[in-house]
Amino acid sequence: MISTQLIIFCINPRCNSPINPMGDSVCASCQTPLVHRYLWATGSLSAQISPGTKVADRYEVIKQQIWLDTQPGLPPDVPEELPKEVIPYLQLYQEQLHLPQAYGFASNLQEDTTDILLLENAPIDKTGNIYPTIVETWQEATAVRQVYWLWQILQLWTPLAELGFSRSLLVADNLRVEGWCVRLLELYQTPDNEKLSLQNLGECWQFWVVSAKASVAKGLQNIVQQMCETETELETINIQLNNLLLAAAAELPLVLKAAGSTDIGPMMAQNEDACYPNSLSDLDEPLLRCLSIVCDGIGGHEGGEVASQLAVQSVKLQIRALLTEVTEQTVLFPPELLQEQLEASLRVVNNLICARNDEQKRQGRERMATTIVMALQVPQRVQTSTGWQSNNTHELYLANVGDSRAYWITRNSCQLLTVDDDVATREVRLAKSLYRKALFRPDASALTQALGTRDSESLRLKVQRFILEEDGILLLCSDGLSDRNWVEQSWQDYAIPVLTGQLTVEDAVCNWINLANEKNGHDNTSVVLTYCRVSPEYLVPVTPALPEEIIEAEIQEEELEELEELEEPTSFTESSQILLDLDLDLALPEDPPLSPEIPPTLITKPKRGKRLVMLGGVLALLVGGTSLGLFAWWQINPQGFQQMCRQLPQKMQSVCPTET
């Protein structure tokens, strides 16, 4: 039917007057923020429905194939048996930064019983306008962004090709861009009788590289020519495109300013969160501009607080070792190697906490664990396209386990970069349910992964790599802030003043925590902000990144101090101190695929209503190096590690592994 009045319903189920005019930001009755959820309606049938039509007495057709759900608080219609067309969206859920997700189904019109698949997280802005195509924005894009777009497309090639949807990357109108980020409107299946290859992708790119910016045009043209004329391996193309991307990014300046803090909140008895940097203690750390961490402990008093602190301290120690190795290299570390190193670091942390649990004979809900979200800006050296040596390739690596989150915020958008490890996500990833339906499960927010519950064979890790090529804020936070989508609803008020120079990063951290305590006061809250500036004009007066020789010197001076801090942490109870004083055996076991067949066991976070789902597996302590992240350093640089060990006091040298 044709709609005569555009309305939207409040999502608060207890609201007495939920109907509001579309476009209002909050409900006039209860002041709950109104959700304007724009959807992409797939298929040729949806393209025939005229704007102004209301479908299923719920969906307002705003523009061709762009629908607004006027009742976003209700679950969408989903058939009991999921149609095969929706399965690929579920299997690719981890790629939601670039791909839309299945939302639900709607009947076309009364005279047609065909269901239309609706997609959320489509490239549609907050006003219902679709984002532009690469073709439309190519000429105005910077050289770095042009290469970055093609690099993202190449990263999507393998996961889409494996499921038979690589054609999605060859349809120009399907490739949309939200600033730096390539986003697809929908998935297009490759016909069974059509075999697509990198040559097809190269032929599509020919249109773009002809008009690429001068500094990258020759490099892009050489890469595309190889793709079109020969059976070049994907790995070879990846290496060449990555080198070109890093050389182009290194032309830009980069200034980082980080600040963080953790707060107990108005209702909790103790703070199980930990973060780095922390405004209380980390003001002069050499890692301050490179590393940020947020951990949310699980296990209650003398458990969660210990696990989160151990995770932060262990990661810091290992990252120091990794950055030392990076500064000593004269060639670029490939992204795959850096991602593997960060994965190994998380496995070390996991086994550290896991060993502590076993030594204390903690079982079931008594086992301590922690979520983690961490970001590392790796300052590699590279020769730029104009021939001068730069000391930073602008690479940012991001890893998370659990439901602590990372967001990238600019003046125009707020993008969630991480995917929560919870039951709702698991149901989608295993193609058992659509996400919105899974959210109505009573255990939807229960965690499926955390560090420390079992040995690292159970972890399913993904480390993402980004390029810092625009001004923005990287926000890491625990669920004390992100619960109920307060970041998505409030980012403009809290982030833009930083980006416009009206507010310091430190004050912004305090403001975010105050918001969390006001709106989500049931939990602890940790917030770490990193302000990334690449604009050459109006640079914020902050200390530049430390030269590599200073980093190395400070690492050597602080290594012993760091180890002793781990043995004698401050601000813990006496019994928590005893937990932290134990010796620990670590190892880096291999990581087999997560089995969906093993039934879960629930563990709760005390007083928070959050549960940890144990997806099975037997905890096994593997013998290796001790003292947190030192085993990882030993693997990377055994000679340098042994030299460092000889500088330790005699009583501590026994913790060092020996060469075989």
Side-chain angles (χ1 to χ4, degrees), residues 379-634:
Q380 295 201 74
R381 296 190 190 98
V382 69
Q383 185 169 332
T384 68
S385 54
T386 55
W388 59 277
Q389 187 83 7
S390 170
N391 64 356
N392 204 320
T393 51
H394 292 220
E395 292 176 282
L396 179 76
Y397 289 84
L398 184 66
N400 73 294
V401 177
D403 60 357
S404 295
R405 291 183 173 184
Y407 296 85
W408 178 250
I409 304 174
T410 67
R411 295 192 187 193
N412 301 315
S413 65
C414 174
Q415 296 164 310
L416 175 61
L417 303 180
T418 53
V419 178
D420 294 344
D421 292 315
D422 58 19
V423 167
T425 299
R426 183 197 65 188
E427 293 299 289
V428 175
R429 185 172 51 82
L430 298 179
K432 294 182 177 180
S433 173
L434 271 60
Y435 182 69
R436 294 294 166 180
K437 182 177 180 180
L439 285 179
F440 282 84
R441 292 175 54 118
D443 61 348
S445 63
L447 298 182
T448 56
Q449 289 205 123
L451 296 180
T453 57
R454 294 173 298 133
D455 65 79
S456 60
E457 292 183 2
S458 67
L459 289 177
R460 183 178 50 84
L461 299 173
K462 178 181 180 181
V463 179
Q464 303 179 77
R465 202 272 292 257
F466 304 93
I467 300 298
L468 299 174
E469 49 86 62
E470 65 176 343
D471 292 357
I473 294 173
L474 179 68
L475 165 63
L476 308 187
C477 65
S478 60
D479 62 341
L481 174 61
S482 62
D483 272 357
R484 299 167 62 196
N485 298 317
W486 280 108
V487 174
E488 290 87 341
Q489 295 170 14
S490 309
W491 65 270
Q492 289 174 304
D493 294 333
Y494 289 83
I496 290 183
V498 178
L499 295 169
T500 56
Q502 301 171 2
L503 191 69
T504 67
V505 179
E506 292 82 0
D507 287 342
V509 168
C510 293
N511 291 347
W512 279 112
I513 288 178
N514 290 337
L515 173 70
N517 287 339
E518 177 186 351
K519 302 296 185 180
N520 290 334
H522 59 279
D523 206 348
N524 313 137
T525 298
S526 291
V527 173
V528 177
L529 297 182
T530 303
Y531 179 26
C532 308
R533 183 95 187 190
V534 301
S535 298
E537 69 277 7
Y538 311 119
L539 286 177
V540 177
V542 297
T543 306
L546 291 177
E548 54 273 10
E549 60 269 16
I550 298 178
I551 291 178
E552 293 176 19
E554 293 201 27
I555 289 172
Q556 291 182 355
E557 290 178 5
E558 295 185 3
E559 200 65 56
L560 179 58
E561 179 183 346
E562 183 69 31
L563 287 170
E564 292 177 347
E565 284 179 1
L566 289 172
E567 296 223 347
E568 296 187 36
T570 58
S571 71
F572 281 155
T573 62
E574 181 178 353
S575 48
S576 293
Q577 176 70 53
I578 293 172
L579 290 176
L580 284 164
D581 283 341
L582 297 173
D583 290 332
L584 298 157
D585 293 327
L586 305 176
L588 301 177
E590 295 181 357
D591 182 32
L594 187 67
S595 173
E597 306 301 328
I598 303 174
T601 303
L602 299 182
I603 294 181
T604 62
K605 271 190 178 182
K607 301 182 182 179
R608 303 194 197 187
K610 180 186 294 181
R611 291 176 288 177
L612 175 66
V613 176
M614 308 283 292
L615 291 180
V618 179
L619 179 63
L621 290 180
L622 304 179
V623 179
T626 59
S627 295
L628 307 177
L630 298 182
F631 182 72
W633 191 347
W634 174 59

Side-chain angles (χ1 to χ4, degrees), residues 136-149:
E136 293 169 333
T137 55
W138 181 260
Q139 295 287 352
E140 292 75 30
T142 64
V144 181
R145 186 160 288 186
Q146 288 177 342
V147 183
Y148 196 17
W149 284 340

Side-chain angles (χ1 to χ4, degrees), residues 20-31:
N20 292 267
M22 196 185 84
D24 285 3
S25 58
V26 298
C27 176
S29 175
C30 67
Q31 301 303 301

